[in-house]
Amino acid sequence: MAIEEEILQATLAASEKLYGQAPDVKSLQISATRKEFEGDLTLVVFPLLKLSHKKPEETAEDLGKELQASVPAISGYNVIKGFLNLCISKSNWIDTVNNIAADPHFGIVEATDNSPLYMVEYSSPNTNKPLHLGHVRNNLLGHSVCQILKANGIKVVKTNIVNDRGIHICKSMLAWKLFGNGETPESTGKKGDHLVGDYYVRFDKEYRAQVKALMEKGLTEDDAKKEAPLIKEAQQMLEKWEAGDPEVRALWEKMNNWVYEGFDKTYKRLGISFDKIYYESQTYLDGKAKVNEGLEKGCFYRRPDGSVWADLSKDGLDEKLLLRADGTSVYMTQDIGTAQQRFRDFNINKMIYVVGNEQNYHFQVLSILLDRLGFEWGKDLVHFSYGMVELPEGKMKSREGTVVDADDLMDEMISTAKETSGDKLKEYSEEEVNNIARICGLGALKYFILKVDPRKNMMFNPKESIDFNGNTGPFIQYTYARIRSVIRKAADAGLQVPAKLEAKYELSERETQLVQNLASFPQAVKQAGKDYSPAFIANYCYDLAKAYNQFYHDFSILKEENADAQQFRLMLSSLIANTIKTGMDLLGIEVPERM
């Protein structure tokens, strides 16, 4: 049992003894003692005041005496207002290191047959353009959240919903039909998603020109946008698609397959995968059926033009369109159908949607509608709402053709990593250099995005992300590679990492702090799972790597003459490397054995 858990259990017992009842264990908080105070671990006593009916200082003093008497590892304590600072005996930290070494899955909780099953939706691309920087953040967050949930003993289904139908898809199709001259990915040498995206941009260019021409003839901008021949033809194509027109369906299938092949290549480079992929074209009919069912039950209403709406005024919202006047569906319709299919396919306990914060209203409405339609799980869906990501040059706008393409961004990051490494890799083979550049370049991209609180908007700075100093992926990767180099050099010198330490070595304060940093990994994993926040893991890895580098600078390992100290430092180094690798894996980031 970790010392923190032992203290928590002892606190419950002490409260029962002192005050006649124990608090909710979830209300108790233990963390590393701040550097300016004496102690190793701090227990916040404020949650106990309603039980003790005493001042914070008196309550902390009561608990300090009881904990020191009942927990052998506690060698002393001091009270600062409502904070009980506990001093842990040096020998206990040796035991802690041994316990970590004996646990091959340190920090990770294995799922059981009784573990809950969560489904996490992420990516959700449209088949009218390639993946861009916004998709990169979405995919990285979704993948990492899945890894973190698994590390908390939760079974996970990774899922994607591909928006493969609708007016935006028809725009690309129509532009290719009118201006494509039979181009294919093979004939152009372009990835399929890029080729189709080019025609989405082409549609917008031609459409804008038509709108401008109509406005010059005296139409208002709104009327011109409705009357432009291209948009009318695109709408007709959508109606034909929904009617099952063979020619339109064949073109749709051909162009979508181009896009899927392109997406697969991008996903593979990012290290992203899915257990189940849903397609809007296969779920929207279920959604329409549920909407019509809700219409019959009086949940929704039909307007004179034939469109179907939900009145959400009683929920403090407005009215929401569910079916257009021409009978075609909207995103909300599709999401209702997809939700029904998912809960039919999997006996999931929770549904998590990883979607940007511009869709907050959408998921608020979806939850209400699912509940209104009788789905018990409607109210419990989770919208993992994350902020937008921008580059220093400004926002991305796909319609204007200025989208920051995911493939180009990855190429740039890998190229920059290779340039930044300079002469450091001159002794390696070309294959090794390219692999290390790939690992570091993608690691820089992923870490820079994931270290930020996902709920905040962020600025992605490629140059800053690839720095080998500071809070970056390459800094952490370099720390891992440095430790692995130490272990290899030790082995060459006939020194092996011990399987177990004897409690003979007296740790320094710096070493004690480093063990504490290491031992807090399970709490970081737990907190990250609770808050759905990869940033907790990212910043834990950075703090651990930073602390290790300070230790490495101040303490000798291979040249240490004290055998007990050398054995301790070798084991601690090895465990830190393992934990960094585990933590970075939760972020979807590889670490190189050398660099």
Side-chain angles (χ1 to χ4, degrees), residues 299-326:
C299 299
F300 312 129
Y301 75 95
R302 190 185 300 276
R303 289 186 177 178
D305 65 356
S307 59
V308 177
W309 295 73
D311 184 357
L312 305 174
S313 57
K314 291 183 179 179
D315 298 287
L317 303 174
D318 53 12
E319 297 184 334
K320 179 64 181 177
L321 174 67
L322 300 179
L323 289 175
R324 299 187 185 94
D326 60 9

Side-chain angles (χ1 to χ4, degrees), residues 58-75:
E58 294 173 347
T59 304
E61 189 67 39
D62 288 346
L63 287 173
K65 291 178 181 177
E66 285 295 325
L67 292 178
Q68 186 172 7
S70 61
V71 180
I74 296 176
S75 59

Side-chain angles (χ1 to χ4, degrees), residues 551-570:
F551 159 78
Y552 180 85
H553 181 269
D554 295 338
F555 291 83
S556 176
I557 299 177
L558 299 180
K559 295 181 180 180
E560 173 58 53
E561 295 181 358
N562 183 314
D564 291 331
Q566 187 178 69
Q567 290 280 287
F568 167 78
R569 292 169 189 170
L570 273 176

Side-chain angles (χ1 to χ4, degrees), residues 203-222:
F203 177 95
D204 191 67
K205 178 183 177 182
E206 301 292 339
Y207 174 55
R208 285 171 180 265
Q210 288 185 355
V211 169
K212 182 180 179 182
L214 289 172
M215 289 174 67
E216 289 174 350
K217 291 180 179 180
L219 271 67
T220 65
E221 183 176 358
D222 286 344

Side-chain angles (χ1 to χ4, degrees), residues 160-164 260 277-284 338:
N160 184 3
I161 175 68
V162 179
N163 300 306
D164 63 343
Y260 298 146
I277 297 179
Y278 291 88
Y279 299 89
E280 183 182 348
S281 59
Q282 298 171 5
T283 66
Y284 83 102
T338 308

